[in-house]
Amino acid sequence: MKLLAVIPARAGSKRVPGKNVRPFHGRPMLGWPVQAALDSNLFHTVMVSTEDEAVARIACAEGAEVPFLRSSATADDRAGLMSVLAEVLETWEARGEAFDAVCCLLATAALATPARLREGLSLYRMGDWDGVYPVLAYPHPIERATRRETDGRTTLIDPVEAETRTQDLEPAWHDAGQFYWLSPEVIRARRSVLTARCATLTLSEMEAQDIDTEDDWRLAEMKFVLMRDRSGSP
């Protein structure tokens, strides 16, 4: 299989400014998913998708390719992930390059590992899937989710299971926000992974961290150290 890794990395971030290239344990954040992709030895091409020349230079210094920049249509925070990936595929195809599958790694996926990337690909190849991505378990039953009003009044969003013991409620999962193995067809159709025929692999809470706040950043730093200590990696 001819495989493409794409790390989307816009220059802007409103919640954590510059997070895609902000220093994280000795290198720009996006350098870690680039390294995971390279170390997996899976990919014909590992590229960063960005609209920014400075980000492109950093990406190339970290070992990725930036064969072209994004168009203005996919360069703002309103552009969906599938639109970004579809533009990448269309640009490659216009150059005569086709890929059998695409792995999109988020630029803040510093905890992604080559082993998990290989596990995802193995699962993708085992079934008739549009894609494969990792998930995390919700730490508390979603049936106990509450709605809080501005005056402090709190009510259950769904009171049906109010009296059920938490240990008897079905576990629920959410996208870990780390990487997505995807077929070219589902990318061209711009279908969400949440509605496509996707399989998932489960991660522990230590293996992933979404980064939308400074607290999230600090948690990611701590998890990174703990995971490195556990694996024995330098």
Side-chain angles (χ1 to χ4, degrees), residues 162-193:
E163 299 303 321
T164 304
R165 298 185 309 166
T166 56
Q167 61 264 43
D168 294 331
L169 295 170
E170 181 182 359
W173 307 83
H174 63 90
D175 176 8
Q178 192 171 88
F179 64 83
Y180 310 91
W181 280 103
L182 298 164
S183 70
E185 291 75 21
V186 78
I187 292 173
R188 293 190 194 99
R190 291 170 168 78
R191 290 186 62 193
S192 167
V193 296

Side-chain angles (χ1 to χ4, degrees), residues 194-232:
L194 300 179
T195 59
R197 294 176 297 110
C198 289
T200 59
L201 58 146
T202 63
L203 302 184
S204 73
E205 189 64 35
M206 291 299 300
E207 293 180 87
Q209 178 63 49
D210 201 14
I211 301 179
D212 292 324
T213 67
E214 289 296 330
D215 283 348
D216 291 339
W217 186 277
R218 287 188 285 271
L219 284 170
E221 289 179 318
M222 290 187 287
K223 289 181 180 182
F224 184 92
V225 171
L226 291 169
M227 289 298 292
R228 288 276 159 147
D229 288 345
R230 182 181 299 176
S231 67

Side-chain angles (χ1 to χ4, degrees), residues 7-207:
I7 296 98
R10 289 193 311 111
S13 174
K14 294 178 180 177
R15 292 178 288 190
V16 180
K19 67 180 180 180
N20 290 337
V21 294
R22 178 172 164 178
F24 184 90
H25 285 286
R27 69 192 306 176
M29 172 62 89
L30 64 77
W32 294 108
V34 168
Q35 180 177 322
L38 293 171
D39 288 352
S40 73
N41 295 313
L42 294 174
F43 300 102
H44 179 272
T45 301
V46 176
M47 66 166 286
V48 166
S49 169
T50 185
E51 82 291 359
D52 187 83
E53 293 279 3
V55 174
R57 287 193 293 273
I58 292 170
C60 290
E62 291 298 316
E65 299 180 30
V66 185
F68 44 82
L69 296 178
R70 286 193 203 182
S71 70
S72 58
T74 60
D76 62 32
D77 59 3
R78 293 183 297 275
L81 182 61
M82 285 300 190
S83 294
V84 172
L85 298 177
E87 182 180 76
V88 166
L89 273 187
E90 289 164 4
T91 305
W92 278 117
E93 288 167 356
R95 297 178 173 204
E97 292 278 3
F99 295 92
D100 298 302
V102 175
C103 184
C104 174
L105 288 92
L106 299 192
T108 55
L111 300 174
T113 65
R116 287 300 198 180
L117 292 175
R118 290 190 288 265
E119 183 181 353
L121 176 61
S122 178
L123 182 56
Y124 175 77
R125 296 176 70 176
M126 283 172 57
D128 183 24
W129 304 114
D130 292 325
V132 169
Y133 61 96
V135 294
L136 294 171
Y138 278 99
H140 193 72
I142 59 174
E143 291 85 355
R144 295 298 167 81
T146 60
R147 181 180 290 108
R148 189 174 186 275
E149 307 297 344
T150 55
D151 63 0
R153 182 168 56 91
T154 302
T155 57
L156 279 170
I157 292 175
D158 182 0
V160 172
E161 303 286 1
E163 299 303 321
T164 304
R165 298 185 309 166
T166 56
Q167 61 264 43
D168 294 331
L169 295 170
E170 181 182 359
W173 307 83
H174 63 90
D175 176 8
Q178 192 171 88
F179 64 83
Y180 310 91
W181 280 103
L182 298 164
S183 70
E185 291 75 21
V186 78
I187 292 173
R188 293 190 194 99
R190 291 170 168 78
R191 290 186 62 193
S192 167
V193 296
L194 300 179
T195 59
R197 294 176 297 110
C198 289
T200 59
L201 58 146
T202 63
L203 302 184
S204 73
E205 189 64 35
M206 291 299 300
E207 293 180 87

